[in-house]
Amino acid sequence: MKDLRSLLIDCRIELRKQARDFQKSELCERLDLAIQAQSSANATAALAVAASEAGPPATPGKTQTVSQVALAWQTAARDLKFSEPAIYTRMGEKVMRLLEAKTLVDPATEILQLEARLAELQAQLESRHQAQQALAMEHEALLGAVAKAVPKLKDGGGDRLAVALARVAWLRAEADKASTGAPAASTRRAPEPQDTVPTPELLGAVAAGAATLTKEQREWCVGEAMVLTGFQYTPVELLEKGDAHVARLIVDARKG
């Protein structure tokens, strides 16, 4: 729950938003006085707490803590703003000379600036979120279109992007065959031939987890993987790793 001083400051901020010359009105002056009175009360309470935490009252010649001195000066300066405006103005000019600044930002104005910056950052975050959602929708639409074009290659719960790339590779191979006078794709089988030696398209699909090998193809792939890897694995080890791993070994070795 906010204290009374914070509530008064919020009220002054909102009134400044609504009224252009609110700072010149009597209500603004009354709010400033109320805020100052509340600040003095809070400062007094804070000094009492600091004194109690510091131990027994300071003896003559004993120095106060830095926070106590700073809080006392802050309270005294706020009192001067209403009791001695001229002195407060001269002190403000001295502070600006020490800070090498021409003007000091009013706390209320600074809060308004921070609120505007926060709104700007929130708008940027929302814009990026919408852009990410649009990209995700495009990604799903592309994967769906590729899956619809090559329905015979199943996802199988594996890497959807790898499966999509395997489908694109199969479509490209079919297009190349069609351009060279090979039978049309509608009269050809999906990349799951019963031949002993699997095609590159079938190997890519198996590596992506979208297809499986026959017994004859698996035996051939195990022997091929043993040769390409320099006999680092035994047939039993390769069979335990699965079709996808063996196919990936062959595909990577051929690429290399």
Side-chain angles (χ1 to χ4, degrees):
M1 182 176 181
K2 288 188 176 181
D3 56 43
L4 180 58
R5 178 177 176 275
S6 300
L7 182 61
L8 292 173
I9 292 176
D10 291 341
C11 292
R12 183 176 62 181
I13 291 173
E14 294 300 325
L15 289 172
R16 284 189 175 183
K17 293 179 181 178
Q18 302 298 327
R20 179 178 301 177
D21 297 330
F22 173 72
Q23 65 275 10
K24 299 179 182 178
S25 63
E26 181 182 356
L27 180 58
C28 181
E29 183 178 355
R30 292 173 60 187
L31 279 174
D32 289 340
L33 290 173
I35 293 172
Q36 176 61 31
Q38 190 64 30
S39 299
S40 300
N42 293 343
T44 302
L47 285 174
V49 172
S52 62
E53 293 178 352
T59 56
K62 184 178 180 179
T63 58
Q64 302 291 338
T65 62
V66 175
S67 59
Q68 289 176 325
V69 175
L71 187 58
W73 273 101
Q74 184 182 33
T75 304
R78 287 176 176 173
D79 290 338
L80 285 176
K81 181 177 181 180
F82 302 99
S83 61
E84 299 292 341
I87 297 177
Y88 180 83
T89 302
R90 292 175 59 187
M91 287 181 62
E93 294 174 353
K94 177 66 174 178
V95 170
M96 286 188 289
R97 284 197 300 270
L98 293 174
L99 295 176
E100 297 181 354
K102 296 183 179 179
T103 56
L104 295 178
V105 179
D106 185 83
T109 303
E110 186 176 5
I111 292 176
L112 292 177
Q113 293 175 350
L114 291 175
E115 289 179 347
R117 179 57 178 167
L118 178 60
E120 180 182 353
L121 292 176
Q122 288 177 341
Q124 293 179 1
L125 182 62
E126 180 64 22
S127 177
R128 292 181 180 179
H129 180 64
Q130 293 178 357
Q132 289 178 350
Q133 286 184 331
L135 288 175
M137 293 177 62
E138 292 178 0
H139 178 264
E140 291 297 326
L142 288 173
L143 291 182
V146 175
K148 187 176 180 180
V150 190
K152 295 182 179 180
L153 285 180
K154 306 301 181 181
D155 290 341
D159 188 350
R160 297 181 63 194
L161 181 58
V163 175
L165 293 175
R167 287 169 172 157
V168 171
W170 185 80
L171 289 173
R172 186 184 299 112
E174 292 297 317
D176 293 340
K177 292 176 182 178
S179 63
T180 57
S186 59
T187 62
R188 293 179 59 83
R189 294 174 297 174
E192 298 178 1
Q194 301 301 319
D195 302 330
T196 302
V197 181
T199 63
E201 293 80 11
L202 178 58
L203 285 175
V206 173
T212 57
L213 297 171
T214 63
K215 179 181 178 181
E216 293 77 11
Q217 292 167 349
R218 187 176 297 108
E219 292 176 354
W220 182 90
C221 288
V222 168
E224 183 73 3
M226 291 177 61
V227 174
L228 293 175
T229 58
F231 296 93
Q232 297 180 9
Y233 306 98
T234 65
V236 176
E237 291 175 340
L238 291 174
L239 289 173
E240 289 177 350
K241 293 180 180 295
D243 291 350
H245 184 81
V246 174
R248 193 176 301 111
L249 286 176
I250 298 173
V251 172
D252 294 342
R254 289 180 176 178
K255 287 181 180 180

